[in-house]
């Protein structure tokens, strides 16, 4: 025969149950967060090195297709393929390459992931496969007046243990310098999931900006960049 528990015992037991369940749940919440924080230490927003790709940029009515060859010397890695819907002509290709001879795009990409204030990281949403975290950003240097108004949002793919998307966006309107007011800014980087011997790779970057300079000039802009045709490259050996 089923015995009923008196109501007053149920009420007395609830605080204890909540306390015990919180104790049991805390490590489960903290462990994935520690895993994500650890992944951020080596996370590269531009993706892993050693991969060649095609970059397609759409911005303000302009259309640009470039090819990056990771196996070439630094000043020869970028090549113009097409622009504004047509293949680049010889003169445009020469002008493009001369531009790189004067000023290379090489160097280390910004490691903005290192600016994430991991102490402020909170779980914003969760599904069986993905966790979404939000965190504040720390200033990259003493002159950085923008980080205070930004936050990072990252989506963690649990089955593969990789960051599937990384977003930096403003939390409200701000003025990074005199005469400039930013109403909204957001950059979202999306990544492929690893498959077989192919790691997670950058697949797209979308940047949106709304603002004005000196109350007259619009700063509104949107840039969409997609990445495709990835090939693993072996750097050329020096003789």
């Amino acid at each position: 025969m089923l015995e009923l528990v008196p109501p007053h015992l149920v009420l007395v037991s609830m605080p204890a149950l909540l306390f015990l369940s919180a104790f049991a749940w805390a490590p489960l919440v903290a462990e994935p967060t520690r895993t994500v924080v650890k992944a951020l230490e080596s996370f590269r927003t531009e993706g892993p090195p050693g991969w060649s790709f095609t970059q397609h940029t759409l911005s303000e009515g302009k259309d640009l297709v470039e090819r990056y060859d990771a196996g070439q010397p630094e000043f020869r890695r970028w090549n113009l393929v097409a622009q504004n819907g047509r293949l680049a002509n010889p003169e445009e290709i020469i002008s493009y390459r001369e531009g790189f001879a004067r000023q290379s795009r090489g160097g280390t990409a910004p490691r903005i992931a290192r600016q994430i204030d991991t102490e402020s990281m909170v779980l914003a949403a969760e599904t069986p496969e993905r966790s979404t975290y939000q965190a504040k950003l720390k200033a990259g240097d003493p002159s950085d007046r923008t980080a205070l108004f930004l936050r990072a949002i990252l989506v963690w793919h649990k089955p593969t243990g990789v960051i599937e998307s990384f977003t930096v966006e403003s939390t409200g309107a701000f003025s990074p310098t005199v005469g400039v007011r930013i109403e909204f800014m957001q950059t979202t980087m999306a990544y492929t999931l690893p498959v077989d011997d192919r790691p997670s790779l950058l697949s797209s970057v979308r940047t949106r900006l709304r603002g004005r300079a000196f109350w007259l000039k619009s700063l509104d802009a949107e840039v969409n960049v997609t990445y495709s045709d990835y090939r693993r490259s072996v750097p050329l050996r020096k003789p």
Side-chain angles (χ1 to χ4, degrees):
M1 180 178 177
L2 181 63
E3 295 185 4
L4 297 177
V5 178
H8 69 280
L9 291 182
V10 174
L11 294 175
V12 170
S13 301
M14 281 302 294
L17 288 174
L18 290 173
F19 176 77
L20 291 174
S21 62
F23 234 127
W25 178 248
L28 298 179
V29 174
E31 187 59 40
T33 304
R34 285 197 293 269
T35 303
V36 174
V37 170
K38 184 67 176 178
L40 283 170
E41 294 177 1
S42 58
F43 178 64
R44 300 166 59 98
T45 53
E46 74 277 18
W51 288 84
S52 300
F53 55 83
T54 296
Q55 177 177 286
H56 187 186
T57 305
L58 294 172
S59 173
E60 305 301 316
K62 296 181 180 179
D63 185 337
L64 187 68
V65 180
E66 302 162 280
R67 182 68 185 172
Y68 176 82
D69 188 345
Q72 293 295 323
E74 182 179 309
F75 65 93
R76 292 181 56 190
R77 290 176 186 170
W78 287 94
N79 289 282
L80 179 63
V81 177
Q83 59 182 359
N84 300 326
R86 60 173 176 76
L87 293 176
N89 59 46
E91 291 77 11
E92 291 169 334
I93 293 174
I94 292 174
S95 176
Y96 179 89
R97 288 177 176 170
E98 288 177 346
F100 276 98
R102 291 191 298 269
Q103 183 176 3
S104 174
R105 275 197 216 179
T108 304
R111 303 298 294 273
I112 193 169
R114 293 182 177 178
Q115 289 183 239
I116 292 180
D117 180 3
T118 55
E119 296 294 327
S120 70
M121 186 178 290
V122 295
L123 182 65
E126 189 166 28
T127 67
E129 288 194 346
R130 293 170 175 83
S131 298
T132 301
Y133 295 92
Q134 291 185 7
K136 298 177 181 178
L137 286 186
K138 298 179 291 186
D141 57 65
S143 63
D144 187 349
R145 300 177 55 188
T146 303
L148 180 64
F149 305 97
L150 303 178
R151 68 180 173 186
I153 302 173
L154 61 92
V155 176
W156 177 256
H157 188 251
K158 300 177 188 178
T160 57
V162 299
I163 294 173
E164 192 172 10
S165 74
F166 184 91
T167 298
V168 175
E169 67 178 18
S170 57
T171 57
F174 66 98
S175 296
T177 187
V178 177
V180 175
R181 180 175 175 81
I182 304 299
E183 297 295 337
F184 175 76
M185 64 181 294
Q186 181 188 70
T187 295
T188 297
M189 292 154 277
Y191 301 86
T192 63
L193 298 178
V195 178
D196 299 326
D197 61 342
R198 175 172 291 202
S200 176
L201 298 166
L202 181 63
S203 64
S204 66
V205 178
R206 184 189 185 193
T207 298
R208 293 184 295 160
L209 176 66
R210 299 289 179 268
R212 303 195 74 81
F214 296 100
W215 304 277
L216 298 174
K217 183 180 179 181
S218 172
L219 299 177
D220 294 0
E222 181 168 333
V223 181
N224 290 283
V225 186
T226 56
Y227 301 83
S228 60
D229 303 324
Y230 273 99
R231 298 288 186 275
R232 189 187 295 276
S233 299
V234 178
L236 295 177
R237 295 183 177 180
K238 296 181 179 180

